[in-house]
Amino acid sequence: MIIIPGLNSQNLAKEVAKLTNSELARVESKQFPDGEIYVRVHNELKGKDAVIIQTQNTQNDSIVEAILMCEALRDEGVKSITLVAPYLAYARQDKKFNAGEPISIKALAKVYSNICDRIITINPHETHIKEFFDIPFIYGDAIPKLAEHAGVKLVKPLVLSPDKGAVALAKRAAEELNCECDYLEKTRISPTEIKIAPKNLDVSGKDVLIVDDIISTGGTMATAISMLIEQGARTVIAACVHPVLIGDALNKLHLGGASEIVGTNTYPSEVSKVCVSTIIADILNGE
Amino acid sequence: MIIIPGLNSQNLAKEVAKLTNSELARVESKQFPDGEIYVRVHNELKGKDAVIIQTQNTQNDSIVEAILMCEALRDEGVKSITLVAPYLAYARQDKKFNAGEPISIKALAKVYSNICDRIITINPHETHIKEFFDIPFIYGDAIPKLAEHAGVKLVKPLVLSPDKGAVALAKRAAEELNCECDYLEKTRISPTEIKIAPKNLDVSGKDVLIVDDIISTGGTMATAISMLIEQGARTVIAACVHPVLIGDALNKLHLGGASEIVGTNTYPSEVSKVCVSTIIADILNGE
């Protein structure tokens, strides 16, 4: 197995190479001033199982880099190509919400199915996107690692998901921390006011961990945090797998009163403290 | 036929729709703050011949936009998809120059061949890239239009190409202007000095038009212009199909002494004065 690091996942690729006891390729990657990408793999590749590790936080740039990488690898005669995209761009456009729009991740799944043999990702927004791929689509789960990271700081832990849809994530984190879980519910209490509170449980005196797959703009999460503190929560940690954190999201969360914001390195950011290398290595090692 | 404008080619698409007497689609296109693109076509599409007009000056963004557009169109049941990419990104990576690198345009040709039925471009850097496509690959020639634009300003015209490889472009421009043509040759006259001059002709007293397919950094072109002026050229116009003009390219050309720099709207820029709409319309009209 040879690990091929993409422009965005240099450290992650190095870690995975160590954990899988694999060769780490020397890759020349650059982006020209006009925006075009150039890649070149300096290793002998013939007959090898190649694993590209390239998270897609630079969206269209990462997608095209993957397309170019796969072509280079095929042309050098690799035996197989696994594309590891810990954050999979466009995974949230997974349904046709309106006539005339594409299911973006389906369009890209077709592209990937033509250029590689297997795809690995971490916590895709919805798992049904698997159906769009004509190749094996494998996903790892970073929630236990996030819970473990936050757990050491929580004396009286309680896990919440931001909505009913994500309650499965909260359940997995709660199992890890051996505590209760619930989901947040938004209720309108007047034409101008809303209340966000756990559906069933009381947060008073608790150390709350809110978990989600993605924090994007952070708006609702910030409001939820400040309301939980009003309801008596002692501390609130906001955790997510993919800290997309658009614009001033991190600032909003801090202002909301979060005692910590934590994500994984599927999406490089200031809070990407949890490394997903072991999750990827376990999948690659067939465990 | 229905014309689908891409984010970069709104005006061009409108012109082509007029010239081909076609319906112009109302397309909602936007780029989210994280870099993902959203497209939605608001027209009835079933059974129609769709023509996407989307130049690729935003490289990876334009490529992914094309992938998403094609998926949306297919899903709405169009009869056929023509992708018009007046500037085709990555067309210059058309050979394997080194082991371990991809032929980038071949990688993308495979993608396009899977998602659309025909591709139209203007003056690709090398025409042999046609072989990489499994679908019809048609290209128009903007050189006569560029020559026509420059011609009105040239009293004693002479056309030059920047090197021997591009002399065919100079020939086509010279035919249009009914004048002589030649190519520029670089000779080293000392370890630190080079001379750039036409291979056979004398530029003294002439109005020179230099034509190329792309002006990228503009460095060699700027040096050539100043040397031609030293050699007695009265005026020098620098013309290209695709004015990529990276960084301070335009400034270099002005400082070099160019009396005008002109390109086409295949690559939107300050000097994109020549419109390629009639060339595209002629191809679409089957002329």
Side-chain angles (χ1 to χ4, degrees):
Chain A
M1 194 154 69
I2 182 166
I3 305 290
I4 320 282
L7 264 174
N8 308 331
S9 299
Q10 303 279 319
N11 279 315
L12 183 58
K14 203 167 207 164
E15 290 300 316
V16 172
K18 265 188 234 162
L19 292 166
T20 56
N21 207 10
S22 303
E23 182 183 1
L24 179 68
R26 205 165 72 78
V27 179
E28 199 182 329
S29 299
K30 60 185 172 195
Q31 190 155 20
F32 291 110
D34 65 354
E36 287 189 5
I37 286 169
Y38 173 82
V39 293
R40 183 181 176 194
V41 185
H42 283 265
N43 303 58
E44 173 58 45
L45 293 161
K46 206 170 163 66
K48 292 183 183 167
D49 290 304
V51 177
I52 301 170
I53 302 199
Q54 161 76 322
T55 203
Q56 298 189 337
N57 64 308
T58 53
Q59 323 292 350
N60 304 329
D61 289 342
S62 2
I63 292 166
V64 173
E65 192 184 334
I67 294 170
L68 301 181
M69 282 269 200
C70 288
E71 174 67 21
L73 298 175
R74 285 282 179 231
D75 203 55
E76 294 293 325
V78 293
K79 188 175 155 204
S80 73
I81 302 176
T82 297
L83 177 62
V84 181
Y87 174 75
L88 193 62
Y90 290 95
R92 282 179 286 176
Q93 183 76 18
D94 62 336
K95 282 179 203 74
K96 193 160 184 145
F97 299 93
N98 296 291
E101 68 180 27
I103 301 175
S104 304
I105 191 62
K106 187 177 172 190
L108 293 165
K110 287 181 190 172
V111 172
Y112 302 136
S113 298
N114 280 318
I115 61 175
C116 63
D117 303 299
R118 182 170 64 147
I119 193 148
I120 296 174
T121 188
I122 305 287
N123 295 90
H125 187 58
E126 296 280 354
T127 56
H128 76 87
I129 63 168
K130 189 176 177 146
E131 298 154 29
F132 301 140
F133 291 81
D134 295 329
I135 51 175
F137 175 88
I138 302 157
Y139 50 93
D141 181 13
I143 294 294
K145 283 215 156 288
L146 277 171
E148 190 190 324
H149 173 96
V152 297
K153 294 158 193 169
L154 306 170
V155 180
K156 296 173 86 176
L158 170 65
V159 184
L160 298 174
S161 68
D163 51 47
K164 198 174 175 180
V167 75
L169 302 180
K171 271 187 194 153
R172 292 206 299 279
E175 273 166 32
E176 189 69 25
L177 299 176
N178 201 16
C179 71
E180 287 188 298
C181 73
D182 198 358
Y183 63 89
L184 289 164
E185 203 176 49
K186 196 190 282 188
T187 43
R188 187 158 292 285
I189 50 173
S190 85
T192 57
E193 275 177 295
I194 54 151
K195 189 190 170 188
I196 298 177
K199 174 74 177 167
N200 303 305
L201 302 179
D202 184 2
V203 295
S204 173
K206 296 282 188 173
D207 299 305
V208 175
L209 174 64
I210 311 182
V211 290
D212 206 353
D213 60 336
I214 298 178
I215 300 179
S216 183
T217 62
T220 313
M221 181 75 94
T223 309
I225 293 167
S226 64
M227 288 191 172
L228 292 171
I229 291 168
E230 272 174 41
Q231 290 156 37
R234 203 164 61 170
T235 55
V236 182
I237 295 182
C240 67
V241 179
H242 312 295
V244 175
L245 300 171
I246 289 168
D248 62 345
L250 215 45
N251 182 248
K252 278 187 215 154
L253 296 172
H254 280 297
L255 288 180
S259 62
E260 187 182 345
I261 300 122
V262 59
T264 82
N265 59 350
T266 60
Y267 206 100
S269 81
E270 201 191 331
V271 300
S272 299
K273 299 173 232 179
V274 171
C275 182
V276 296
S277 58
T278 54
I279 305 170
I280 295 167
D282 285 351
I283 296 171
L284 291 173
N285 287 330
E287 282 165 22
Chain B
M1 195 155 68
I2 181 165
I3 305 290
I4 320 283
L7 264 174
N8 308 330
S9 300
Q10 303 280 318
N11 279 314
L12 183 57
K14 203 166 207 166
E15 289 301 316
V16 172
K18 263 188 234 163
L19 292 166
T20 58
N21 208 10
S22 303
E23 183 182 1
L24 179 68
R26 203 165 74 78
V27 179
E28 200 181 329
S29 300
K30 59 184 170 195
Q31 191 157 17
F32 291 110
D34 66 355
E36 288 190 4
I37 286 169
Y38 173 82
V39 292
R40 182 181 177 195
V41 185
H42 283 265
N43 303 58
E44 173 60 44
L45 293 161
K46 206 172 164 64
K48 292 183 184 170
D49 291 304
V51 177
I52 300 170
I53 301 197
Q54 161 75 322
T55 203
Q56 298 188 336
N57 63 308
T58 54
Q59 324 292 350
N60 304 329
D61 289 343
S62 2
I63 292 166
V64 174
E65 191 183 335
I67 294 171
L68 301 181
M69 281 269 200
C70 287
E71 174 67 22
L73 297 175
R74 284 283 178 231
D75 203 55
E76 294 294 326
V78 292
K79 187 176 155 203
S80 72
I81 302 176
T82 297
L83 176 62
V84 181
Y87 174 76
L88 193 62
Y90 290 93
R92 282 178 285 175
Q93 184 76 17
D94 62 335
K95 282 179 204 73
K96 193 160 183 146
F97 299 93
N98 297 291
E101 69 179 27
I103 301 175
S104 305
I105 191 63
K106 188 178 171 189
L108 293 166
K110 287 179 190 172
V111 172
Y112 301 136
S113 298
N114 280 318
I115 61 175
C116 63
D117 303 298
R118 181 168 65 149
I119 194 147
I120 296 173
T121 188
I122 305 287
N123 295 90
H125 187 58
E126 296 281 354
T127 55
H128 76 87
I129 63 170
K130 187 175 177 148
E131 297 155 29
F132 300 140
F133 291 82
D134 296 327
I135 51 173
F137 175 88
I138 303 157
Y139 49 94
D141 182 13
I143 294 294
K145 281 214 156 290
L146 278 171
E148 189 190 324
H149 173 96
V152 296
K153 293 157 192 169
L154 306 169
V155 180
K156 295 171 86 178
L158 169 65
V159 184
L160 298 174
S161 69
D163 52 46
K164 198 174 175 181
V167 74
L169 302 180
K171 271 186 195 154
R172 291 206 300 280
E175 272 166 32
E176 189 70 24
L177 299 175
N178 202 15
C179 69
E180 285 187 297
C181 73
D182 198 358
Y183 64 89
L184 288 164
E185 201 176 49
K186 196 190 280 189
T187 45
R188 188 158 291 285
I189 50 173
S190 86
T192 56
E193 274 178 297
I194 55 152
K195 188 190 169 190
I196 298 176
K199 174 74 176 165
N200 303 306
L201 302 179
D202 183 2
V203 295
S204 171
K206 296 282 189 173
D207 298 305
V208 176
L209 173 65
I210 311 182
V211 290
D212 206 352
D213 60 336
I214 298 178
I215 300 179
S216 184
T217 62
T220 314
M221 182 74 95
T223 309
I225 293 167
S226 64
M227 289 192 171
L228 291 171
I229 291 168
E230 272 175 38
Q231 290 156 38
R234 204 164 60 171
T235 54
V236 182
I237 295 182
C240 66
V241 179
H242 312 294
V244 175
L245 300 170
I246 290 169
D248 62 345
L250 215 44
N251 182 247
K252 279 187 213 153
L253 296 171
H254 280 296
L255 287 178
S259 64
E260 186 181 346
I261 301 122
V262 59
T264 80
N265 59 348
T266 60
Y267 206 100
S269 82
E270 201 192 332
V271 300
S272 300
K273 299 173 234 178
V274 171
C275 181
V276 296
S277 58
T278 53
I279 304 169
I280 295 167
D282 284 351
I283 296 171
L284 291 173
N285 287 331
E287 281 165 23

